Amino acid sequence: MSYPSSIQAITFAKTGDFDVIEKTTQPFPNVGAGDIVVKVQYGGVNFIDTYFRKGLYPIKSFPAFVGQEASGIIVGLPTDQAVLDDPEFKKRAFATGSKVAINTSNVFAEYAAVSWTDAFPVPSSLPNRLAAAGVLQGITAVSFMDEGYDVQKGDIVLIHTVAGGLGMILSQYAKSKGATVIGTTSTKEKAALAKAHGADHVILYTEEDTVKRVLEITGNEGVHAIFDGVGKDTFDNNFKMIRRKGSILTLGNASGAVPPFAPLKLVEKNVKLMRPTMKNYIATPEEGYHYSSKVLGLIADGTIKIDVHKDYPFTAEGVIQAQKDLTGGKTTGKLIIDIAPE
């Protein structure tokens, strides 16, 4: 097909507060020989969007596009014969008109051109809206609980902010692996939602002493693993709640980045500490296909239920409000930008 010369996109021309976000007209993206062109329908909102916008993560050039996760319809396939002949490409069975989820930058836009390795086929039974809502956080949760710390049947795990989009997926996947889940959240309403998504014990950190409650629940043993997307505010207390030879995975910076600390902090209980990133678990085409197929399959068969908190319009104001709601602790589940909804 012929592509338009320009597209509408959500961008920012400099790092800063929410007000740097704009909806602008941009040239149609450059299409490489190994790229898939996607007409984007839905975008998933994530904390990483705010990290880039604030400058916490480096940006190569401006204007920078908002968005790391989306879904849509394939409108163009690679032209590189080596790609078309690649067994990993063939395994995906991509075709013009088929549904696809994408996990890369520059996706809050009408069209995206992405490397075929960053595109994942969506099962026919799964709506694209749920694919956009689940692919990034789903692969994050599953890879972190398979490789970061391989959750085992009988384990007790602690998940901070368990009623958020990632927290609820982590909770459901841990339960599917036979673990007991302890979660933290801020309100009784969020606690009820977390329990409905698999959490066995939910601690209201606004009213309860989290360390005391975790030790009570575990008979003073502590938990086998902690999955912490909060960062600075929860980091020190994690060492009081982890058991000997346990694992702490710090996943995000919702309250700010964890400050430097002495490695001797790990000595008391022989604690393993990780700061994983999902990208390093899907660095090869084989890994990307493995985890995307697993995650989208778990969503399609109902093992992982995706709770969409709210849909926002494809406007600067809509994306600003979504980021404000996400960072303000006002949301549960996933936030979606309706770019060109079905």
Side-chain angles (χ1 to χ4, degrees):
M1 66 170 288
S2 59
Y3 303 127
S5 60
S6 62
I7 61 171
Q8 295 293 297
I10 304 297
T11 63
F12 53 102
K14 60 182 180 179
T15 58
D17 208 345
F18 300 105
D19 59 0
V20 300
I21 294 173
E22 305 174 287
K23 187 174 184 180
T24 59
T25 300
Q26 298 293 328
F28 194 89
N30 291 324
V31 181
D35 287 349
I36 283 175
V37 182
V38 179
K39 184 172 179 18
V40 182
Q41 294 177 315
Y42 301 96
V45 181
N46 296 283
F47 271 101
I48 194 171
D49 302 339
T50 71
Y51 303 158
F52 279 112
R53 188 253 304 156
K54 291 187 290 188
L56 182 62
Y57 289 176
I59 293 171
K60 295 178 181 178
S61 63
F62 292 102
F65 284 51
V66 181
Q68 301 285 317
E69 170 187 40
S71 66
I73 301 297
I74 294 175
V75 294
L77 294 169
T79 56
D80 185 343
Q81 192 60 47
V83 169
L84 299 175
D85 292 338
D86 190 308
E88 284 298 319
F89 178 81
K90 290 181 177 180
K91 191 185 296 182
R92 288 159 168 77
F94 288 136
T96 302
S98 62
K99 298 190 296 183
V100 66
I102 51 179
N103 175 215
T104 187
S105 56
N106 299 356
V107 296
F108 284 9
E110 292 176 306
Y111 289 86
V114 304
S115 169
W116 67 271
T117 58
D118 294 323
F120 311 119
V122 174
S124 58
S125 61
L126 182 64
N128 255 349
R129 179 170 173 267
L130 292 184
V135 65
L136 188 150
Q137 290 178 331
I139 295 176
T140 298
V142 171
S143 63
F144 287 9
M145 285 189 161
D146 280 359
E147 292 194 60
Y149 174 78
D150 186 7
V151 175
Q152 300 292 308
K153 184 177 181 180
D155 280 351
I156 306 174
V157 302
L158 172 64
I159 300 168
H160 286 298
T161 58
V162 71
L166 178 60
M168 287 197 287
I169 297 175
L170 284 165
S171 180
Q172 292 176 85
Y173 189 56
K175 288 301 295 180
S176 77
K177 298 187 82 173
T180 296
V181 174
I182 304 172
T184 66
T185 194
S186 57
T187 69
K188 291 179 181 177
E189 293 76 16
K190 289 183 178 182
L193 184 64
K195 287 186 176 180
H197 287 76
D200 298 286
H201 308 274
V202 182
I203 299 165
L204 296 180
Y205 64 80
T206 52
E207 300 177 11
E208 303 175 86
D209 183 324
T210 300
V211 173
K212 181 180 178 182
R213 286 288 294 122
V214 167
L215 294 179
E216 286 174 353
I217 293 166
T218 61
N220 287 317
E221 287 290 320
V223 297
H224 293 86
I226 297 174
F227 296 86
D228 183 3
V230 176
K232 177 175 64 69
D233 289 355
T234 50
F235 184 71
D236 285 339
N237 277 345
N238 287 337
F239 290 88
K240 302 173 185 178
M241 299 182 286
I242 197 69
R243 68 175 56 198
R244 184 176 63 89
K245 298 193 290 185
S247 296
I248 298 172
L249 288 83
T250 174
L251 317 180
N253 317 290
S255 67
V258 172
F261 70 98
L264 283 172
K265 196 175 185 73
L266 308 175
V267 167
E268 183 180 354
K269 298 178 182 176
N270 283 10
V271 170
K272 298 181 182 72
L273 175 67
M274 288 193 67
R275 179 54 169 95
T277 175
M278 177 263 285
K279 283 289 189 182
N280 280 332
Y281 287 131
I282 58 168
T284 69
E286 294 86 352
E287 291 169 332
Y289 184 73
H290 166 75
Y291 277 117
S292 64
S293 299
K294 185 171 185 176
V295 165
L296 294 172
L298 289 169
I299 297 171
D301 72 16
T303 300
I304 293 176
K305 295 178 175 61
I306 302 298
D307 185 90
V308 176
H309 174 82
K310 186 176 178 180
D311 291 66
Y312 297 78
F314 179 50
T315 61
E317 295 76 15
V319 175
I320 289 170
Q321 191 60 54
Q323 289 196 8
K324 284 183 176 180
D325 290 349
L326 181 67
T327 57
K330 299 179 180 179
T331 66
T332 57
K334 189 70 178 184
L335 312 186
I336 293 292
I337 305 299
D338 290 337
I339 295 170
E342 295 171 297

